[in-house]
Amino acid sequence: MKKVHFCIYTFVFLLFSSPFWGSQLSRSAGKNRSGLLLSDSVVADSAKKQLTPVGNVKADSLAQDSTAQDSVPKKAALDAPVDYTANDSIVFSSGNMGYLYGDSKVDYQTMSIKAENISMSMDSSIVHATYGLDSIGKEFGYPVFSDNGTEYEMKNVSYNFKSKKGYIRHVITQQGEGYIVADKAKKNPDDTFFMCDGKYTTCDDHEHPHFYMMLTKAKVRPKKNVITGPAYLVIEDLPLPLAIPFGFFPFSEKYSSGIIMPSYGDDMDRGFNLRDGGYYFAINDNYDLALTGEVYTKGSWGISARSNYKYRYRRSGSFNLSYLYTKIGDKDIPESFSESKDLSLNWTHSQDPKANMYRTLSASVSYQTSTYSRNSLNQIANMETNSTRSSTVTLTQTFPDSPFSISLNATANQNAQDSSVSLTLPDLTVTMSRIYPFKRKMAAGAEKWYEKVSLDYSFQFKNSISTKDDKLLKSNLVKDWQNAAKHRVSAGATFNLFNYLNISPNITYNERWYTRKVSKAWDPLSSRMVAADTTYGFHRVYDFNYSISLQTKLYGFYEPVFKIGKLQKIRHVFTPSISYSGSPDFSQSRYGAYVGYSYYNADGELVQNKYSPYEGGIFGYPSSGKQGNINFSFDNNIEMKVATDNDSTKIISLIDNLGISFSYNMAAEKYKWSDIVTNTRLKLSKNLTVNINAVFDPYVYGLDSKNTPVKLDQLRISKYGTIGRLKSTGYSISPSINQDTFKKWFGKGGDKDSKGKKEPRPGDENLDENTEDTEETGPRQSLFSKKKESGTYDDDGYQRNEIKWNLSFSYSMNYGYGDFDYEKLEYKGKIRQNLSFNGSIQPTKNWNFSFTSAYDFDAKKVTYMNCNISRNLHCWNISASLVPFGDYTSYFVTLRVNSSMLQDLKYEKRGRKTSYDPAWD
């Protein structure tokens, strides 16, 4: 019976004491779990020994709240001191806990934690950090955890100094151009961390990003990559059915190689296509290479290689080579089938002047086959504006302490309209700058007249061809290419006569070396000279001329008698020049430049004439007929001096230049007077200059025996009383205006006030040179804070929006002789005009519209227009390009992420007319 009572009492005791033992076991288990999560605990005396107080904390408070130190020394649990500070206060409780308030900071080795509130356990290596709340409940002072140069911002963190592990809630970290936001994350000792329910986005609005990749679980390796499990795209908080089973997002502070995702499309002529896809090779810091291609379902394909290179203080440039095979139509239908192979080469190169002061290399190469622009979808919209192309490669070598220099050029000109190409390779020029061979090295006394004699020399060699682009590679170097050399020697001097006149004699000798000459014969069927035979070999032909000129300057001043505004003085500079130039008749047989021929005309009369076998030569041929020209030239410049508001003066150009020139050939048998050439240059403003040139014909016209218009050897002044008739003229103007133009014209002082200080305008704060430095040295902006709208606001709180726009156009007009008027015996005038214009407008900071257009005055219509519109959607951008009419009507719409890391996240749509369906769009 006693045994039964004992068992009952024991059971009751255990039953009622179980809550007590359970709480003890729970407390012990909690400590063990905490140790498993954040490693081993640290005893109080050890923590006290390792923690070193730093900051604005009073000594008495520390002494009052500190825990008594154990007399038995224990082994330190940490490898380095823990420094901590707080702007408000530091409190130590009896439970061996330390609390830091107000902009707190804890440093341990390379790790640092900043937060509004931080708590530390003196018995362990664990630190907790969280944000604070202001009087209205707004969060501030979010914890910022940094380790080995990588920063994480979160709302809560628990970190163990010894194990270097941590548990984080709602963390944000920037990796490259993107942001990683995780609700729960665990940091590992190797600085990587695991997270679940994370987001990856390039949008800086972290609370509500416009788009993000929802990462169910992922591992982040800072500055390296993110490896994720199942992920899906979310736009405007709307999940899309665009999911991936796993993902890999690389980060790198350097260039890295990778795949270039292609764009897809549909073309009626060539079918469905994948374009601009390939691989990018990050070779090194100086070179890169991108290999891309395009393929079409109907057989067309293309490949291209792009490379950029840059060596600081040496050279930089880019290279682009493309090959395109285009097949349109069906071979069974020859009328609609076409096949072409096209090549495109673009190369730009520039050399830094600091690399070599004596040798420079520059290149601007743009070569395409005639059908490349028509077959390339990227080029088709620019065909009407880029019908001609030119390329130049120049290598220049100068020699120190020497008058000689060498220049090696290669030039190419293309015309896509007729597929013609002109190539010069090479073009070698050796130049000796002006020297004074008779000048004394150790001059004493006055300069002798012969010391003013100067000498200069140049040698030029050219090898060129003009042909069609499909025949260029099939050409023969001897028969199809033209090669020649030219020597030029000039000697002259300048003497002062009567202190006011400058007299300059000069003599020039030219010698040409040709490798061919063309013999001609009279063709009675066509009644003209035709090529009969070509002789290859070394052929030499030369000519020379001599001249002497007389020049001076006359100044005239006018000061108004009565005050006219702010006008002070007008100055007129008159520069007359008279020169004589002459040369013998090189058509004489002794010079060997001309060959005589004879034939019988339709009336049976013997006609004798001469021609030069070198008429088609690169450097031309000597002129026929004796020359004895007296040249007249008169230039005028008119300026006025006006006063300004700050008691100074400025010069305003009224006529920048007004010149007239003509000549009289004393040795000519007829037409001794040349055309009268005038030129006018008006400088209307600093950026607007107008040039007007005109040519006047001094002779009258009539009809010959065959009723054909001919020029008569009779001056117009003798028949009509006028010096000349307008033969041709032309001028061009290219003005540009923007939103500030009218402010400068009609505003008070333009960009400057009366004191000369620049008025602040919207957007000027972005042009401050010190803006970047200010942002770096200023307080750090939290990633949790909302991004402020950029711009300025008025007194009522409304944002100021300055509409930025610009408009520029280019207009040229040319007048010349047209058809002949048989009644008036005069040529009718014909006007040719060209007009092109372009502009842009930015109604808001995110919208932008631009256009380019051209007008045909003969057809009286707009021949071409290209419109572009874009909208910045914060982290996205949508743009559209449209050619609304013409032969190349097309459109192209693209929606893509702004970040360069996610350029493959895009949508594109394009369309154009085709040969199958002209109305298809």
Side-chain angles (χ1 to χ4, degrees):
M1 190 66 180
K2 291 182 179 180
K3 294 182 179 180
V4 176
H5 289 172
F6 177 78
C7 292
I8 293 175
Y9 294 152
T10 303
F11 175 76
V12 172
F13 173 77
L14 293 176
L15 179 64
F16 285 95
S17 62
S18 58
F20 171 77
W21 295 108
S23 62
Q24 295 297 324
L25 292 175
S26 177
R27 182 178 180 183
S28 176
K31 291 184 178 181
N32 293 332
R33 286 195 300 268
S34 177
L36 291 175
L37 177 63
L38 300 174
S39 187
D40 299 325
S41 59
V42 183
V43 294
D45 57 347
S46 177
K48 180 61 181 177
K49 186 176 181 180
Q50 296 297 328
L51 293 173
T52 304
V54 179
N56 53 350
V57 183
K58 295 183 180 181
D60 56 352
S61 64
L62 288 176
Q64 180 179 358
D65 296 336
S66 61
T67 304
Q69 186 176 3
D70 196 346
S71 60
V72 180
K74 302 229 178 127
K75 184 178 179 180
L78 300 178
D79 298 330
V82 177
D83 296 332
Y84 56 92
T85 181
N87 282 345
D88 189 354
S89 61
I90 300 178
V91 178
F92 293 94
S93 67
S94 58
N96 287 337
M97 292 292 296
Y99 300 93
L100 285 67
Y101 300 99
D103 196 11
S104 307
K105 182 180 180 182
V106 175
D107 293 326
Y108 175 70
Q109 293 182 347
T110 61
M111 186 279 301
S112 176
I113 296 179
K114 300 178 182 178
E116 179 64 19
N117 299 321
I118 298 178
S119 62
M120 298 183 298
S121 174
M122 299 301 180
D123 295 330
S124 65
S125 306
I126 302 173
V127 60
H128 304 273
T130 185
Y131 55 87
L133 296 175
D134 59 11
S135 59
I136 60 174
K138 183 179 179 180
E139 300 174 352
F140 70 98
Y142 295 101
V144 178
F145 180 92
S146 60
D147 192 5
N148 293 324
T150 304
E151 279 193 354
Y152 311 89
E153 188 169 2
M154 66 283 292
K155 292 188 176 182
N156 295 280
V157 59
S158 297
Y159 182 75
N160 188 298
F161 291 127
K162 187 175 181 180
S163 65
K164 296 184 179 180
K165 294 182 179 180
Y167 180 71
I168 306 172
R169 293 297 305 271
H170 202 85
V171 60
I172 300 177
T173 178
Q174 184 174 1
Q175 300 294 330
E177 297 183 20
Y179 299 91
I180 298 176
V181 183
D183 185 51
K184 292 178 289 185
K186 178 183 177 181
K187 183 185 178 301
N188 301 314
D190 58 355
D191 291 335
T192 64
F193 62 89
F194 297 100
M195 66 179 185
C196 60
D197 299 332
K199 303 174 183 177
Y200 175 74
T201 180
T202 58
C203 182
D204 55 4
D205 188 358
H206 310 295
E207 292 292 334
H208 300 284
H210 294 87
F211 84 99
Y212 57 88
M213 292 294 297
M214 188 66 188
L215 314 178
T216 56
K217 53 183 179 179
K219 179 181 180 180
V220 180
R221 300 173 63 194
K223 298 183 180 180
K224 293 184 179 180
N225 53 55
V226 172
I227 304 172
T228 176
Y232 55 91
L233 180 65
V234 179
I235 297 180
E236 293 292 349
D237 295 330
L238 176 64
L240 299 182
L242 299 177
I244 54 177
F246 60 89
F248 180 80
F249 301 92
F251 308 122
S252 177
E253 296 179 353
K254 298 181 179 180
Y255 290 107
S256 60
S257 303
I259 297 175
I260 302 175
M261 296 299 294
S263 302
Y264 66 91
D266 181 17
D267 184 80
M268 187 68 73
D269 291 335
R270 283 165 277 196
F272 294 98
N273 58 77
L274 291 176
R275 301 172 47 255
D276 301 329
Y279 198 84
Y280 175 81
F281 297 91
I283 301 175
N284 52 39
D285 292 338
N286 304 112
Y287 288 90
D288 69 349
L289 176 64
L291 296 178
T292 59
E294 52 188 283
V295 60
Y296 301 83
T297 56
K298 294 185 179 180
S300 301
W301 58 274
I303 188 172
S304 65
R306 301 189 306 272
S307 178
N308 296 283
Y309 58 91
K310 183 174 183 180
Y311 283 86
R312 183 175 295 181
Y313 308 124
R314 293 185 183 180
R315 57 189 176 271
S316 61
S318 62
F319 183 84
N320 190 349
L321 177 64
S322 300
Y323 178 82
L324 189 63
Y325 171 77
T326 305
K327 185 174 69 172
I328 298 176
D330 192 349
K331 289 185 178 181
D332 297 334
I333 307 176
E335 295 80 5
S336 63
F337 179 77
S338 64
E339 184 180 20
S340 62
K341 300 176 181 179
D342 298 296
L343 181 68
S344 174
L345 173 63
N346 291 276
W347 177 41
T348 60
H349 178 89
S350 61
Q351 178 180 310
D352 195 304
K354 295 183 284 297
N356 193 322
M357 62 183 302
Y358 301 112
R359 184 186 302 113
T360 58
L361 174 65
S362 62
S364 177
V365 178
S366 178
Y367 173 80
Q368 289 182 357
T369 53
S370 58
T371 58
Y372 182 86
S373 297
R374 183 161 51 250
N375 294 325
S376 175
L377 294 181
N378 295 328
Q379 298 283 335
I380 193 169
N382 300 323
M383 280 195 62
E384 295 192 17
T385 56
N386 296 327
S387 60
T388 59
R389 292 179 176 272
S390 60
S391 305
T392 303
V393 180
T394 303
L395 175 64
T396 304
Q397 174 70 54
T398 59
F399 301 94
D401 302 326
S402 173
F404 289 93
S405 63
I406 300 177
S407 177
L408 184 63
N409 300 303
T411 60
N413 296 297
Q414 278 186 276
N415 191 331
Q417 301 296 332
D418 57 3
S419 69
S420 62
V421 57
S422 298
L423 180 63
T424 301
L425 179 69
D427 183 358
L428 174 65
T429 303
V430 180
T431 305
M432 183 189 74
S433 59
R434 181 173 298 178
I435 61 173
Y436 296 86
F438 306 111
K439 203 163 193 177
R440 294 169 291 175
K441 295 182 178 179
M442 302 296 293
E447 186 180 26
K448 305 298 182 180
W449 67 270
Y450 54 82
E451 292 184 281
K452 297 180 179 180
V453 177
S454 63
L455 182 70
D456 61 84
Y457 165 80
S458 66
F459 167 79
Q460 188 175 9
F461 171 78
K462 275 188 177 183
N463 182 48
S464 63
I465 186 175
S466 295
T467 183
K468 300 295 183 180
D469 58 1
D470 58 344
K471 298 180 181 180
L472 179 62
L473 300 179
K474 302 177 183 178
S475 59
N476 185 279
L477 182 61
V478 177
K479 296 183 178 181
D480 298 326
W481 289 73
Q482 292 189 11
N483 24 70
K486 178 182 178 181
H487 301 266
R488 179 184 177 276
V489 182
S490 178
T494 300
F495 306 101
N496 185 267
L497 188 64
F498 307 122
N499 294 329
Y500 298 105
L501 300 177
N502 292 325
I503 182 170
S504 302
N506 185 78
I507 183 170
T508 302
Y509 174 83
N510 299 302
E511 181 168 319
R512 305 169 181 87
W513 294 347
Y514 289 117
T515 58
R516 73 175 72 181
K517 68 176 181 179
V518 180
S519 301
K520 296 184 178 181
W522 180 260
D523 184 10
L525 298 177
S526 59
S527 299
R528 62 184 182 91
M529 296 292 294
V530 295
D533 187 23
T534 302
T535 304
Y536 298 97
F538 177 77
H539 305 281
R540 170 179 170 268
V541 61
Y542 68 93
D543 66 349
F544 59 88
N545 62 78
Y546 45 86
S547 65
I548 183 171
S549 64
L550 190 67
Q551 184 180 11
T552 188
K553 282 183 180 291
L554 302 176
Y555 296 87
F557 298 92
Y558 170 75
E559 296 185 11
V561 179
F562 302 100
K563 185 177 181 180
I564 304 177
K566 298 181 180 180
L567 177 63
Q568 293 184 348
K569 186 182 295 186
I570 296 178
R571 187 184 74 167
H572 176 208
V573 181
F574 177 61
T575 307
S577 177
I578 301 176
S579 64
Y580 170 79
S581 61
S583 63
D585 184 6
F586 290 100
S587 64
Q588 299 179 4
S589 59
R590 59 179 177 177
Y591 294 107
Y594 285 80
V595 177
Y597 68 94
S598 61
Y599 66 93
Y600 289 94
N601 58 17
D603 299 330
E605 300 175 349
L606 180 63
V607 179
Q608 295 183 348
N609 212 330
K610 296 179 180 180
Y611 75 94
S612 176
Y614 312 103
E615 291 180 357
I618 299 176
F619 299 110
Y621 58 97
S623 61
S624 62
K626 186 178 181 180
Q627 300 292 324
N629 294 319
I630 301 177
N631 307 298
F632 301 91
S633 176
F634 306 97
D635 294 328
N636 298 269
N637 174 266
I638 301 178
E639 299 174 334
M640 69 176 180
K641 181 189 292 186
V642 296
T644 60
D645 296 334
N646 54 359
D647 297 332
S648 62
T649 59
K650 66 178 180 179
I651 304 299
I652 298 177
S653 175
L654 299 178
I655 300 178
D656 200 49
N657 181 53
L658 174 61
I660 180 173
S661 61
F662 54 92
S663 64
Y664 178 79
N665 188 0
M666 299 183 299
E669 296 181 359
K670 59 180 181 178
Y671 309 130
K672 294 186 175 183
W673 290 96
S674 69
D675 292 340
I676 303 172
V677 180
T678 63
N679 58 84
T680 305
R681 184 173 64 248
L682 302 177
K683 194 172 183 180
L684 303 181
S685 66
K686 184 178 180 180
N687 300 321
L688 181 58
T689 302
V690 178
N691 293 282
I692 303 176
N693 302 317
V695 178
F696 295 88
D697 191 349
Y699 290 96
V700 298
Y701 290 82
L703 301 175
D704 60 5
S705 58
K706 298 181 180 180
N707 205 30
T708 303
V710 293
K711 181 191 291 187
L712 303 179
D713 191 16
Q714 181 182 1
L715 292 176
R716 183 174 294 273
I717 193 172
S718 63
K719 185 176 181 179
Y720 299 108
T722 58
I723 296 178
R725 182 174 183 265
L726 183 62
K727 183 179 181 180
S728 65
T729 185
Y731 70 93
S732 61
I733 185 173
S734 300
S736 177
I737 58 176
N738 55 32
Q739 70 277 357
D740 296 328
T741 303
F742 297 104
K743 296 179 182 179
K744 296 178 181 179
W745 289 354
F746 307 107
K748 297 181 179 179
D751 292 338
K752 297 182 178 180
D753 56 13
S754 59
K755 295 182 181 181
K757 295 183 179 180
K758 197 171 183 180
E759 294 180 354
R761 294 179 299 170
D764 283 352
E765 64 276 7
N766 297 329
L767 303 178
D768 189 0
E769 296 179 355
N770 299 324
T771 300
E772 185 175 353
D773 295 336
T774 303
E775 292 179 355
E776 292 182 357
T777 57
R780 179 186 181 277
Q781 185 178 4
S782 173
L783 296 177
F784 287 98
S785 61
K786 294 183 179 180
K787 301 300 176 181
K788 296 182 179 180
E789 294 289 340
S790 59
T792 58
Y793 297 84
D794 57 17
D795 297 336
D796 298 327
Y798 293 99
Q799 184 176 7
R800 292 191 180 98
N801 182 41
E802 182 185 20
I803 300 178
K804 297 181 179 181
W805 59 273
N806 69 78
L807 177 65
S808 60
F809 64 92
S810 176
Y811 174 77
S812 63
M813 187 277 294
N814 292 282
Y815 170 86
Y817 281 165
D819 299 331
F820 190 77
D821 190 341
Y822 287 89
E823 295 182 357
K824 297 182 179 180
L825 299 179
E826 296 282 3
Y827 278 99
K828 299 178 181 179
K830 185 176 182 179
I831 297 178
R832 299 175 179 86
Q833 304 177 78
N834 293 310
L835 175 63
S836 62
F837 45 91
N838 60 81
S840 66
I841 183 171
Q842 189 176 358
T844 66
K845 67 176 183 178
N846 294 323
W847 281 99
N848 189 39
F849 174 78
S850 62
F851 69 94
T852 302
S853 184
Y855 182 79
D856 189 343
F857 286 89
D858 294 334
K860 296 182 180 180
K861 66 176 183 179
V862 177
T863 58
Y864 176 77
M865 176 172 285
N866 185 8
C867 303
N868 296 278
I869 186 171
S870 63
R871 173 69 163 90
N872 183 11
L873 303 173
H874 188 247
C875 51
W876 288 74
N877 182 279
I878 184 172
S879 61
S881 177
L882 173 66
V883 180
F885 48 81
D887 296 334
Y888 303 100
T889 302
S890 62
Y891 69 87
F892 177 61
V893 181
T894 176
L895 174 66
R896 66 173 68 237
V897 179
N898 290 335
S899 174
S900 60
M901 295 179 57
L902 299 177
Q903 286 297 293
D904 299 325
L905 188 58
K906 61 186 177 181
Y907 173 78
E908 295 178 347
K909 180 67 177 177
R910 68 173 70 235
R912 69 181 184 90
K913 291 182 179 180
T914 67
S915 57
Y916 288 107
D917 186 2
W920 179 77
D921 195 0

